[in-house]
Amino acid sequence: MCPSRPTRDPATPLREAILQEARTLLEGEGYAALSTRRIASAVGCTATSIYLHFKSKDSLIYALIDEGFEELNRRVVEVSKGDGNALSLLHDVARAYVDFGLERPEYYEIMFMLRAEQMERYPVDAYRRARRSLDVFAELTALPAQEAARRGAIVWSTLHGLVSLLIAQRIDISLDREALIEDSIHSACLGAFAALPSGANSA
Amino acid sequence: MCPSRPTRDPATPLREAILQEARTLLEGEGYAALSTRRIASAVGCTATSIYLHFKSKDSLIYALIDEGFEELNRRVVEVSKGDGNALSLLHDVARAYVDFGLERPEYYEIMFMLRAEQMERYPVDAYRRARRSLDVFAELTALPAQEAARRGAIVWSTLHGLVSLLIAQRIDISLDREALIEDSIHSACLGAFAALPSGANSA
DNA sequence: GTCTTACAGTTTACGCTGTCAACCTGGAAT
DNA sequence: ATTCCAGGTTGACAGCGTAAACTGTAAGAC
């Protein structure tokens, strides 16, 4: 009970406090509100102190991105272990992906919707590992590797298009949202299993 | 041949010169490089002069967005007037959409990939008009309005997912790009015409 | 018990951003 | 000749990420 240390809780080390505040700010006000100075003032330190614990602002964001991927992976892997045929499993996994995006739009935004040049510095291996849940799409097609990879990418990009446009509020609000989502997921699953031009001659 | 006016060509009025420089900068270095001061110095005026011709930096961007939509609309409408059944027309229109995105990625980025809060101020009616080409997807399904709108949205979001991930370089480069594109387009067309869950009971 | 070293902060500063308020200036209208 | 105004400039403000230099404090070595 020493009386020193005025503003910040000394129990949580600064790094964790910064991360916590970044999370709060991201979820509460979105990526655009994340500035080093805002985080610092909310946490009770100076902006430059952040650089004692993170190489750059980007690497702080990457920590949040990692957390996002962890949750997405957890959700997807859990659903993928359910029972049912490949098609219904794929449907459920796709649903889990979409639900994640719509329930945690701020995380989805920094994970998948940030500008490429900003993302470039994200370590490649970390990205591979992080995207692990996307491979589930490919695996569920039970096709030869190359073909599966393409089908997985098709499913992913279809779902990503839906989620990103919904998050950005670019889809006409007069549309029945739930019907659109369910139909899109079905369409994505079709894209995974239906006959497609490259299917015959790409193995 | 009056000897005054050192830097800027007096023939082109400033507004057009600003737009031209913004175009050049966007295409050459991308959206992130677009700053009022850079535009101004390249054009030979001060940054604040831009505000004599545009309400804000955003409204300057909107002018570029409008140009992008104009080109996209032109491409899509032209292709949609070709002959062939609805399916092959839809395929060609989808291809035109994807080609536009991949050939003019910087324009696609400001048109479809900018953050929502930034886009909010874009006038609603302008957006409706601008998105005209997206309605072509819906019209080609030849379905009742509501159902067509949903199918059109599915096609659009599928293509948008593909284009945006390709632009952001998030698709595994080991994939055969052309095969992925062609398969995605086919999958999108499937989504427009195949039986989907909401199809039966939504009219 | 003093000296050293290292860590964990702060202060200050630089160059960049969009934008506003005030000022200036040349030419047309009265 | 005077006034007005469109179209520019200058200067400033608040905010951004971040680098460099400085400070206080705690632990270890002698």
Side-chain angles (χ1 to χ4, degrees), chain B residues 6 11 18 32 46 58 60 72 79 85 91 124 134 148 159-160 168-169 178 187 197:
Chain B
I18 290 170
T46 61
D58 280 355
L60 166 56
L72 174 61
V79 170
N85 57 20
H91 175 282
V124 178
L134 302 181
L159 300 176
H160 170 70
Q169 302 180 100
E178 183 50 38
S187 174

Side-chain angles (χ1 to χ4, degrees), chain A residues 35-37 48 51:
Chain A
S35 87
T36 54
R37 283 172 170 82
T48 51
Y51 292 84

Side-chain angles (χ1 to χ4, degrees), chain B residues 73-117:
Chain B
N73 288 339
R74 189 174 44 70
R75 290 192 188 207
V76 160
V77 167
E78 182 177 326
V79 170
S80 74
K81 283 193 264 190
D83 49 358
N85 57 20
L87 179 59
S88 84
L89 267 185
L90 181 60
H91 175 282
D92 295 345
V93 166
R95 182 82 215 190
Y97 181 94
V98 172
D99 285 346
F100 169 81
L102 298 182
E103 286 166 23
R104 324 219 99 211
E106 306 88 3
Y107 277 93
Y108 192 90
E109 188 177 338
I110 61 173
M111 290 161 68
F112 294 113
M113 294 167 72
L114 283 195
R115 178 140 297 94
E117 61 252 33

Side-chain angles (χ1 to χ4, degrees), chain A:
Chain A
M1 273 303 168
C2 64
S4 57
R5 292 303 168 83
T7 52
R8 184 159 27 91
D9 176 17
T12 59
L14 187 53
R15 189 195 147 92
E16 189 45 51
I18 290 169
L19 266 177
Q20 180 53 49
E21 188 54 39
R23 273 187 285 262
T24 306
L25 222 40
L26 175 68
E27 295 181 37
E29 307 196 40
Y31 170 73
L34 271 185
S35 87
T36 54
R37 283 172 170 82
R38 281 197 67 171
I39 295 171
S41 86
V43 111
C45 71
T46 61
T48 51
S49 291
I50 293 178
Y51 292 84
L52 300 172
H53 302 276
F54 298 92
K55 198 176 123 292
S56 63
K57 186 196 176 186
D58 280 355
S59 75
L60 166 57
I61 306 288
Y62 293 152
L64 297 180
I65 289 178
D66 285 341
E67 295 181 3
F69 272 112
E70 210 153 324
E71 177 173 346
L72 174 61
N73 288 339
R74 188 171 47 68
R75 291 192 186 207
V76 160
V77 168
E78 182 177 327
V79 170
S80 74
K81 282 193 267 191
D83 49 357
N85 58 19
L87 180 58
S88 85
L89 268 183
L90 181 60
H91 175 281
D92 294 345
V93 166
R95 183 80 216 193
Y97 180 94
V98 172
D99 284 346
F100 170 81
L102 299 183
E103 285 166 24
R104 324 221 90 204
E106 306 88 2
Y107 276 92
Y108 192 91
E109 188 176 340
I110 62 173
M111 291 161 68
F112 295 113
M113 293 167 73
L114 284 194
R115 180 142 296 91
E117 63 250 32
Q118 189 137 359
M119 202 63 187
E120 241 164 8
R121 283 167 278 175
Y122 190 85
V124 177
D125 57 335
Y127 196 54
R128 279 278 159 85
R129 180 174 44 75
R131 290 185 14 171
R132 179 161 37 96
S133 62
L134 301 181
D135 298 332
V136 174
F137 295 138
E139 291 160 12
L140 281 173
T141 64
L143 288 166
Q146 197 182 345
E147 175 82 10
R150 184 166 57 244
R151 296 292 183 131
I154 293 175
V155 174
W156 175 37
S157 75
T158 301
L159 299 177
H160 170 70
L162 174 71
V163 173
S164 64
L165 289 178
L166 282 174
I167 287 179
Q169 303 181 89
R170 280 198 161 76
I171 300 263
D172 198 330
I173 53 167
S174 71
L175 289 182
D176 179 344
R177 194 181 166 96
E178 182 51 38
L180 174 67
I181 293 171
E182 203 52 43
D183 279 3
S184 285
I185 291 176
H186 272 268
S187 174
C189 293
L190 276 181
F193 291 110
L196 292 179
S198 312
N201 49 2
S202 79

Side-chain angles (χ1 to χ4, degrees), chain B residues 4-56:
Chain B
S4 58
R5 292 301 169 81
T7 51
R8 184 159 28 91
D9 176 16
T12 59
L14 188 52
R15 188 194 147 92
E16 189 46 50
I18 290 170
L19 266 177
Q20 181 52 49
E21 188 54 40
R23 273 189 285 262
T24 306
L25 222 40
L26 175 68
E27 295 181 37
E29 306 195 42
Y31 171 72
L34 272 185
S35 86
T36 53
R37 282 172 171 82
R38 280 197 68 172
I39 295 170
S41 87
V43 110
C45 70
T46 61
T48 49
S49 291
I50 293 178
Y51 291 83
L52 301 171
H53 302 277
F54 298 92
K55 196 178 123 294
S56 64

